[in-house]
Amino acid sequence: MLKISSSDSWLDSLIESLGDPEEAAEYLSVALEEKIGTRQLLRNAIKDVVEAYGKINNLSEEAKGYYEQLEYLLSKNGGSEIHNLINLLGALGFKLSVDLKKEEEFGN
């Protein structure tokens, strides 16, 4: 049985698990679906995945640039555009999700 003694250990374990692309996709999808505390939750989920990918050296300069731009926008307006899109899609009977790209789709 895994015993975690502190919140830092829990966060370290989370970040480590998010290095797995399937885990990261599921984590982001859950953050998109949450209704309570959604704005900060989504922002934190994106930050966690970026941190995990950065630790395993899978974060390209392009991805870093996009993250910095997104973080700037989220810090300015709390991500209201993203959440309005999610809410509109929900009202129309759709949901936004995160899926892994197929290998041949990378770079597009």
Side-chain angles (χ1 to χ4, degrees):
M1 181 169 140
L2 179 64
K3 189 172 185 175
I4 299 174
S5 60
S6 72
S7 61
D8 288 343
S9 295
W10 176 85
L11 184 58
D12 290 343
S13 295
L14 172 65
I15 298 301
E16 184 177 326
S17 73
L18 294 176
D20 176 342
E22 289 179 9
E23 290 285 331
E26 181 65 25
Y27 185 68
L28 291 169
S29 289
V30 168
L32 285 169
E33 292 176 7
E34 285 299 317
K35 299 290 185 215
I36 300 171
T38 311
R39 292 179 183 197
Q40 193 60 38
L41 180 65
L42 180 57
R43 186 175 176 193
N44 288 341
I46 293 168
K47 178 181 176 278
D48 291 343
V49 171
V50 167
E51 183 178 339
Y53 273 59
K55 282 187 176 188
I56 57 172
N57 298 319
N58 281 339
L59 199 60
S60 67
E61 289 302 314
E62 180 181 32
K64 287 178 190 174
Y66 288 136
Y67 174 68
E68 288 169 4
Q69 290 173 6
L70 180 61
E71 181 58 26
Y72 173 76
L73 292 172
L74 291 174
S75 69
K76 277 185 76 165
N77 64 21
S80 61
E81 293 91 349
I82 294 171
H83 296 288
N84 286 337
L85 173 62
I86 292 168
N87 291 334
L88 171 61
L89 291 173
L92 295 172
F94 300 102
K95 73 175 185 175
L96 196 58
S97 63
V98 178
D99 294 313
L100 291 175
K101 282 184 171 183
K102 296 179 181 136
E103 222 172 288
E104 61 270 11
E105 294 176 325
F106 277 99
N108 294 336

